[in-house]
Amino acid sequence: EKPWVVTKIQLADLIRCSGEAFWKVFLDDALQREIFTAALGYPSYRVSERHELGSSVTRRIEVTPKLELPSAAKKIVGAMFSYVEEGELRDGVYRFKLSPPHGVESARASIHGEIRAEAANVDRTLRIIDLTVDVRMPLVGKMLEGVAVQALKDGYTAHAEALNRHLERQADG
């Protein structure tokens, strides 16, 4: 048996816009900052780098999520958990990795994935997220993996709900 945990999950949320509009709002830095900080209550969300070359967009985002961590997890990652997302949108797929928080070596924990947008109908898009969570830490790996997986599920669901509320307001006004 491996002394670490690797979990693969897939999340799917219906977003109330076309596929083309989805990528526009996904890459709208100001809108995403508003969603993460105002709607979701994250202490910080900052796009620190962004490059566009043809139809490819790469970006680096520094995020401090709003999380309730178990005390055992706080001892490992600290009370103020944060991470860096490095991603690239190319050929209709956003591939990203999340660098682990301060105090967790990258060789011991990694999260990466991809986001795709599939047309559900004229004005609805299915946002599909495939994630791999790999925690290689003896004794606490399974606990940290569980915390990470639940936080990712909750975060992406809350983001989809907040984005849909924004899109509804935009359509109404």
Side-chain angles (χ1 to χ4, degrees):
E1 184 180 330
K2 287 188 256 181
W4 67 85
V5 178
V6 176
T7 300
K8 293 180 182 271
I9 58 173
Q10 185 175 77
L11 308 171
D13 294 290
L14 196 60
I15 307 297
R16 296 181 180 125
C17 65
S18 68
E20 183 180 325
F22 171 79
W23 291 117
K24 285 180 183 172
V25 296
F26 180 82
L27 294 172
D28 183 331
D29 296 340
L31 171 62
Q32 294 301 321
R33 184 174 48 258
E34 177 186 326
I35 288 173
F36 279 97
T37 59
L40 302 180
Y42 282 28
S44 71
Y45 175 95
R46 182 173 83 89
V47 177
S48 57
E49 289 180 37
R50 181 181 171 124
H51 305 283
E52 298 183 31
L53 182 61
S55 62
S56 172
V57 178
T58 59
R59 62 187 187 172
R60 177 184 172 93
I61 306 166
E62 299 169 10
V63 182
T64 302
K66 178 181 164 184
L67 283 179
E68 294 299 323
L69 295 174
S71 57
K74 282 183 186 175
K75 288 178 183 175
I76 297 163
V77 301
M80 189 56 82
F81 175 90
S82 61
Y83 62 89
V84 173
E85 175 185 305
E86 295 175 295
E88 178 180 21
L89 175 63
R90 185 176 12 163
D91 300 326
V93 178
Y94 181 73
R95 290 177 181 83
F96 64 94
K97 70 175 184 169
L98 305 181
S99 298
H102 176 73
V104 179
E105 299 169 34
S106 60
R108 299 177 74 193
S110 68
I111 299 173
H112 62 274
E114 63 181 43
I115 299 174
R116 296 181 316 281
E118 296 181 2
N121 63 35
V122 173
D123 60 352
R124 298 287 187 268
T125 298
L126 189 61
R127 178 188 73 181
I128 300 169
I129 305 170
D130 290 305
L131 293 161
T132 300
V133 179
D134 183 357
V135 181
R136 298 175 185 222
M137 300 176 76
L139 306 175
V140 296
K142 189 165 184 63
M143 180 267 303
L144 285 178
E145 175 269 345
V147 168
V149 167
Q150 193 59 53
L152 289 162
K153 287 179 179 178
D154 294 347
Y156 281 114
T157 297
H159 180 269
E161 291 168 356
L163 181 56
N164 280 329
R165 284 192 302 274
H166 167 81
L167 292 167
E168 280 179 20
R169 284 192 307 272
Q170 194 176 41
D172 292 343

